Amino acid sequence: MKDSCEKQLTEFREKLSTQNRTKNLNLDDKLLLRFLRSRDGDVSESMSTLLAYIDIIDKRSDLFSWSEDIKKVVNSGVYVQYPERTSDGCVVSLVTPSKWNPSDYSYSIYIKLVIFMIEMSLLDEEVQKNGFIVVIDMSGIRWTHIYHTGVSDAKLFSDLTERILPRKLVSLHFVNANKLQDAGLMLFRPFMTSSTKKIMHFHGKDYSTLHSFVSPNLLPESLGGSAKDYPTSMYNQLLEKHKEEVMQIWDQFRKIKN
């Protein structure tokens, strides 16, 4: 395994040296391994992801920066990443879109929070290796949520979370959907990768099927689980603790000339 990683790193560095945007970058092995792990060691895919990552940081620097309004998203409870991991070492993210009030913050601010949370989790090498499980509770979604998301932000979010950020998505689960919530999903579906569509699971209101993928101790009571209800202040403290470390990674890629 070690020899394989070294071979992949060597090949990755060789590819970096042939690109104008990356040949002068002094990226350490830890950061390169993050991209390799996210694409299961495929050097070409890792390179494509890295180049897309550089591009988006340049084009949307507003999303790759800290702002205090990120905490509004945390406080709303719309996006949670539990500290506990699955038996396979995966991070479990719970998304509850109905907790978003569009008059409190924009969907772009939500995207910023998701980026920060993912990047913060990826500081842990075990998370890089084992990946993320995402559970989306569709109950309570209204037309206002769909309207204030829009097609362009739906595409941006899908691109970021599936193609650009160096994370490994293990599985994606939808619960409590009805026809209106299905319309919300249709906003994103055209932009989803084929690999993401293969790992999507729909559970309706049958939480027992969800529990076959995610242990109930990692799910809230509303989904038949017994996960500890952590205060939002804990998540805000974690973000404050790691925000400089995350931004230092992004700063390496700013103002790279083509």
Side-chain angles (χ1 to χ4, degrees):
M1 181 66 72
K2 183 178 179 181
D3 289 344
S4 176
C5 284
E6 289 179 354
K7 182 180 179 181
Q8 291 164 358
L9 278 169
T10 299
E11 186 179 344
F12 200 0
R13 288 197 178 281
E14 288 174 354
K15 281 187 174 291
L16 290 170
S17 68
T18 66
Q19 292 280 337
N20 288 335
R21 285 179 290 174
T22 56
K23 64 183 181 181
N24 295 321
L25 287 176
N26 185 26
L27 304 179
D28 61 27
D29 287 352
K30 286 176 61 177
L31 187 56
L32 295 182
L33 281 170
R34 178 185 296 200
F35 284 87
L36 285 168
R37 288 165 177 155
S38 74
R39 300 301 178 255
D40 293 324
D42 187 306
V43 176
S44 293
E45 287 191 13
S46 300
M47 187 70 191
S48 296
T49 302
L50 176 58
L51 292 175
Y53 189 77
I54 292 171
D55 284 344
I56 198 69
I57 290 174
D58 178 49
K59 293 175 182 176
R60 293 301 307 267
S61 60
D62 58 307
L63 296 178
F64 291 82
S65 61
W66 175 261
S67 57
E68 288 296 312
D69 50 7
I70 289 174
K71 294 179 180 178
K72 292 181 181 178
V73 189
V74 177
N75 293 337
S76 71
V78 66
Y79 186 90
V80 172
Q81 285 187 179
Y82 291 115
E84 293 85 359
R85 310 281 169 76
T86 69
S87 59
D88 295 326
C90 298
V91 167
V92 176
S93 302
L94 174 63
V95 184
T96 312
S98 63
K99 292 185 177 181
W100 171 38
N101 183 346
S103 65
D104 290 339
Y105 55 85
S106 68
Y107 195 77
S108 293
I109 302 301
Y110 168 73
I111 293 175
K112 285 182 70 168
L113 182 276
V114 174
I115 292 171
F116 247 105
M117 292 290 278
I118 290 173
E119 293 275 27
M120 183 178 71
S121 297
L122 289 172
L123 295 172
D124 184 337
E125 291 190 17
E126 291 304 308
V127 174
Q128 296 173 24
K129 296 174 184 176
N130 300 315
F132 294 73
I133 294 174
V134 178
V135 179
I136 302 178
D137 182 356
M138 305 286 279
S139 61
I141 294 178
R142 302 185 301 277
W143 279 115
T144 186
H145 297 115
I146 300 171
Y147 174 79
H148 282 93
T149 300
V151 174
S152 60
D153 276 342
K155 182 180 186 306
L156 174 63
F157 186 82
S158 294
D159 285 344
L160 278 163
T161 56
E162 298 177 51
R163 300 174 179 86
I164 300 175
L165 293 177
R167 75 160 180 178
K168 182 186 298 185
L169 184 59
V170 176
S171 59
L172 177 60
H173 304 268
F174 295 88
V175 294
N176 293 322
N178 60 33
K179 290 184 178 180
L180 175 59
Q181 283 87 54
D182 285 344
L185 176 59
M186 288 304 296
L187 193 63
F188 292 86
R189 190 186 284 272
F191 311 115
M192 289 180 172
T193 64
S194 57
S195 57
T196 296
K197 290 176 181 177
K198 289 177 182 177
I199 57 172
M200 289 169 57
H201 304 272
F202 297 87
H203 305 281
K205 298 182 183 300
D206 182 4
Y207 303 146
S208 65
T209 61
L210 174 63
H211 296 168
S212 67
F213 291 92
V214 185
S215 174
N217 70 300
L218 295 174
L219 294 168
E221 185 177 348
S222 61
L223 297 180
S226 58
K228 181 179 178 181
D229 186 15
Y230 290 94
T232 57
S233 59
M234 183 203 73
Y235 295 105
N236 282 322
Q237 288 168 6
L238 284 172
L239 287 167
E240 286 283 359
K241 179 180 178 181
H242 295 290
K243 68 179 182 181
E244 294 299 332
E245 192 173 357
V246 169
M247 288 191 291
Q248 283 174 10
I249 293 172
W250 297 340
D251 287 345
Q252 297 177 79
F253 301 107
R254 299 191 197 276
K255 300 180 180 178
I256 295 175
K257 302 299 182 183
N258 293 326

